Every structure is written in structure tokens, then in C-alpha cells.
Amino acid sequence: MKKILVTGGSGFIGSHVIRLLVNKYPDYLIVNLDKLTYAGNPENLLDIENKSNYKFVKMDITDEAGVFNLFEEYQFDGVIHLAAESHVDRSISNPNEFINTNIVGTLNLLNASRNIWGNEFENKIFYHISTDEVYGSLGDEGFFLETTPYDPRSPYSASKASSDHIVRAYFYTFGLPVKISNCSNNYGSHQFPEKLIPLIINNIKNEKPLPVYGKGENIRDWLWVEDHAKAIDDVFHKGQIGETYNIGGHNEWKNIDLIHLLCDIMDQKLGNSIGKSRELITFVKDRAGHDMRYAIDATKIKDTLGWIPSVTFEQGLKSTVEWYLENQKWMKNVTSGSYLEYYNEQYKQ
Ligand code: NAD
Ligand code: DAU
């Protein structure tokens, strides 16, 4: 039995990765290490939590001794590392936690892997999940390639860039069998509603203002989270050691156009008169250092591993909106409590 550690498995992308692996590989033991921060939610994995090939461990990746002991206990064959502080706005108001978790936490996992693997790396993999934000901000033209120089501009992206560099350093210096992927913006079910798409859906449902940063002209490249999870499975099983893979949907949207689209889909779903939700759009103060455009060139993963997105944006967005509307209890649970304090502080005029 292969033993795979997934970190951050109770979060948005991690829960989709865990679901895919637990169902697809019954002969693997999938261990989910998660601190359960505000973004980690055991409800995301209710459907698989009792499977015999799944185990949850509540732990902080910055707890060096705890992480070392866990690796000693399980002798993992592979690590898929997703645990991170992931929201750019929070990194602007409170950078420290991003440095601790994203950099020091990653270092602990690398050291714990070296500690159990020694120099015996056959069939071992340390797979680090990163973001396209490490490449910085694009103008009107061009795409992020795996060879694009790093140019992070927020505390979040700087912490992710730093962890990528350390992971690569462990490959070159110690021979640790690492893989890295850098993905564009994900959307789909179970995403914490501080991120644009679930936030807009939730605010439309509750007839609250729709906050658009600046003029809404910034561009993001959106990928359905289940396609990202499939790409992670492909890179983990078929990707080359020491390589980086960019993952994206070739699906660029200006924020304001995306918000208009969501308003129209929601009006249709809620039986509103067309145009009603657009009236909620409110332009607010821009994000500090707001990156203008992200766009991934995913040719390498397509040509070498055969991965391409499985759904169109239209299909993915429709199923996403339906999921949030059908899972109002989930939404209620995650938007009560401390989220309200964050929301009021972030969007105060
Ligand atoms: P998320 O914020 O939804 O989930 C993060 C998870 O990590 C949560 O379950 C949280 O409890 C856990 N966590 C946080 N700090 C921890 C700590 N110190 N110890 C243990 N667990 C901890 O994030 P997400 O959107 O699912 O992103 C997952 C990963 O993918 C991150 O590394 C992020 O940088 C990367 N990524 C995200 C996107 C995106 O669009 N969301 C795109 C590309 C890459
Ligand atoms: O590109 C990958 C990254 O995508 C991931 O690494 C991050 O973890 C993830 O959070 C995401 O970062 P963004 O900053 O692009 O996502 P966010 O959903 O926060 O914002 C998307 C765009 O929408 C961005 O241009 C800012 C804008 N925005 C966001 C919010 C929350 C608004 O206009 N209003 C809002 O209220």
C-alpha cells in the first residue's frame, strides 16, 4: 500500500484532490494533514471521511516536531503539499502568517521528507502545489511559461515564490525528488467565499453590494477546480522529477465581465428580472499592488502528460452556481462567526 500525505486537504482545492485520490486509488492510504484554519472545513470531505483508505490528522505544518513524528510514524511514499495561507487580501492586512505557513511550513515538510527518505529516493515524490502569481503581472500580451522569471508582488505571492525556490533548492542540493506545478485561478464547489466567484454568488443571493476592486479591468485565467485536481493526479503519477508544470484553462476574463455574467446566470436561476443583480455592483477601493493580468500557457502539460481541461467555462460555472445555491447550509456555516468580522473590516468604505 502506498502512503501519500496530502497537506491542506480540508481546504478548497485540497478537498477535491483528496476526493479524487481516495476514490480512484483504493490501494493507497491518503493521510490529510490540516490545521483547520478558517479556510479548512471538515464538511468539505463528509462524503469520503469514513473510507478505510482515508485518515485525517489535525496538525500545523509549522509544528516541526509534530511533522517529523508524523513522517516517522507513516513513512510516506509521497507528499502532495497544498497547505497554505492563500488569500491575497489577507496577506496585505496580515503578512506574518503567510511567511510562517507558506515558507517555514514548507521547509519543515522538506526536512521531514529528507529525514525519512535519507538518500533512498526510488518511487518517492515531494510534489509542491504553487500558483501563477509567482510570475508577477502581465500586460495586454503574452503568457506565463514555466521559464518566465519570478516577479511576485504581494506578500502571498512572495511567500509562495520563496517556497518554490526552497523546494527547487532541495532538488538541486540534496537530490530530493520534487515536482512543482503553478496553476491559475480555480473556481468550483467548496471555495471559501472570500474569493471572488463564491463571494459574488453569495452576495447576489443575499442582495448585498457586489464589491469590484478598482475599475474591474484586471484579468484572471479561470480553471475548474476538478480539472486542477486531475492535473495534480497526472503530474504526481506521470510528471518528471525536477520539472515544473504550468496549469491553466486558456480562459481569461476581465473581472467586470465575469461579474456581469454571474449576475445574469443568477438572475435566471433566481427568477429575477434580467439586470436586477447588476444593480448591486459597487466599485470599491482597489487592492494594493493589484496584479493586472494572469494568463497561463499550459502547452507543456498538454504535450507531455496529455492533460487538458474537461469542461468549458460555461459548464463549469453553471454547475458551480448550482452547487452554491443547493448548499446554502454549507455557505451559512462558513460565513458565520469570524468571517463576518473579516468581511466588515475588508469592505468598510
Ligand atoms: P484554501 O485557503 O482554501 O485552503 C488551505 C488549506 O490549508 C486549509 O484547509 C487550511 O486549513 C490549511 N492550512 C493553512 N495553514 C495551515 C498550516 N499552518 N498547517 C496545516 N494546514 C494549514 O486554499 P486553496 O485555494 O485550496 O489553495 C490550496 C493550494 O493551492 C495553496 O498552496 C495555494 O497557494 C494553491 N493555489 C490556489 C489557487 C486558487 O485559485 N485557489 C490557484 C493556484 C494555486
Ligand atoms: O492565480 C492563482 C491565485 O488565484 C491563487 O494563488 C490564490 O490563492 C487565489 O486566491 C487567487 O488569487 P486572486 O487574488 O486572483 O483571487 P481573488 O478571488 O481574491 O480575486 C480575483 C480577482 O477579483 C482579483 O483581480 C481581485 C478581484 N476582486 C476580488 C475580491 C475578493 C474584486 O474585484 N472584488 C473582491 O471582493
Side-chain angles (χ1 to χ4, degrees):
M1 182 183 240
K2 268 198 175 172
K3 292 181 198 153
I4 310 298
L5 176 71
V6 178
T7 68
S10 302
F12 167 48
I13 301 172
S15 62
H16 286 279
V17 170
I18 296 251
R19 182 173 299 101
L20 185 156
L21 296 177
V22 163
N23 288 326
K24 186 169 172 186
Y25 302 103
D27 54 331
Y28 288 8
L29 175 66
I30 307 296
V31 178
N32 172 15
L33 180 172
D34 199 299
K35 180 183 173 183
L36 298 182
T37 65
Y38 77 93
N41 182 356
E43 278 187 54
N44 291 352
L45 287 168
L46 277 183
D47 54 328
I48 58 102
E49 68 180 5
N50 293 322
K51 295 246 180 181
S52 59
N53 63 335
Y54 172 71
K55 187 161 175 40
F56 173 71
V57 177
K58 185 173 184 314
M59 190 177 283
D60 187 332
I61 57 170
T62 68
D63 170 4
E64 187 182 8
V67 167
F68 267 66
N69 288 339
L70 191 76
F71 275 67
E72 292 275 9
E73 181 186 345
Y74 282 94
Q75 298 289 317
F76 297 115
D77 301 294
V79 177
I80 304 180
H81 174 36
L82 295 111
E85 287 292 334
S86 71
H87 190 38
V88 174
D89 293 323
R90 288 186 191 250
S91 83
I92 295 167
S93 47
N94 181 15
N96 294 26
E97 205 49 43
F98 286 71
I99 306 304
N100 276 334
T101 286
N102 299 359
I103 305 177
V104 177
T106 301
L107 183 69
N108 284 337
L109 295 165
L110 289 164
N111 285 335
S113 302
R114 279 194 76 208
N115 186 46
I116 58 162
W117 294 341
N119 289 318
E120 296 296 321
F121 296 137
E122 209 183 321
N123 295 323
K124 307 290 188 243
I125 302 168
F126 186 101
Y127 179 10
H128 177 62
I129 308 300
S130 191
T131 170
D132 61 358
E133 301 201 10
V134 298
Y135 299 122
S137 179
L138 290 166
D140 293 342
E141 304 276 309
F143 295 92
F144 295 135
L145 288 160
E146 286 81 358
T147 49
T148 301
Y150 276 31
D151 184 22
R153 295 149 51 100
S154 73
Y156 163 67
S157 55
S159 68
K160 291 296 291 187
S162 176
S163 62
D164 292 12
H165 288 317
I166 296 168
V167 170
R168 267 190 206 101
Y170 271 57
F171 169 69
Y172 289 112
T173 310
F174 304 119
L176 202 78
V178 311
K179 302 179 183 184
I180 299 178
S181 57
N182 297 76
C183 189
S184 63
N185 287 62
N186 285 214
Y187 71 95
S189 68
H190 303 91
Q191 186 170 29
F192 195 80
E194 64 188 353
K195 306 283 170 70
L196 183 69
I197 290 183
L199 185 145
I200 294 295
I201 294 171
N202 190 39
N203 283 16
I204 294 175
K205 176 81 176 67
N206 293 299
E207 300 184 8
K208 282 170 63 178
L210 310 180
V212 181
Y213 295 166
K215 294 183 181 152
E217 284 175 351
N218 304 65
I219 293 173
R220 296 293 182 265
D221 177 0
W222 294 94
L223 179 70
W224 191 43
V225 64
E226 295 189 33
D227 279 329
H228 187 191
K230 284 181 191 150
I232 288 173
D233 179 25
D234 283 348
V235 171
F236 185 71
H237 286 98
K238 300 188 285 182
Q240 291 289 313
I241 298 294
E243 290 291 315
T244 293
Y245 296 88
N246 279 359
I247 306 170
H250 268 303
N251 179 40
E252 292 179 52
W253 284 80
K254 250 187 205 170
N255 291 339
I256 190 66
D257 295 339
L258 174 58
I259 291 166
H260 282 153
L261 178 63
L262 279 170
C263 286
D264 297 347
I265 296 175
M266 288 290 286
D267 280 342
Q268 200 194 13
K269 294 269 173 215
L270 298 172
N272 290 339
S273 57
I274 289 296
K276 182 171 182 232
S277 296
R278 288 186 184 213
E279 287 168 17
L280 296 169
I281 291 173
T282 310
F283 291 91
V284 299
K285 189 163 154 264
D286 207 355
R287 173 183 280 172
H290 197 170
D291 289 339
M292 182 46 81
R293 173 173 167 254
Y294 303 147
I296 282 279
D297 181 335
T299 307
K300 177 175 173 181
I301 189 169
K302 174 169 161 270
D303 288 353
T304 58
L305 306 184
W307 175 90
I308 50 165
S310 70
V311 299
T312 63
F313 193 46
E314 204 183 7
Q315 292 166 328
L317 204 57
K318 188 171 164 280
S319 76
T320 299
V321 168
E322 283 164 0
W323 189 86
Y324 286 103
L325 290 177
E326 284 160 14
N327 288 275
Q328 285 297 302
K329 191 164 162 263
W330 179 93
M331 187 58 95
K332 228 183 210 128
N333 289 347
V334 298
T335 50
S336 57
S338 61
Y339 178 72
L340 291 176
E341 280 164 43
Y342 163 79
Y343 193 90
N344 291 335
E345 183 60 28
Q346 174 67 17
Y347 294 101
K348 70 172 182 248
Q349 288 294 330

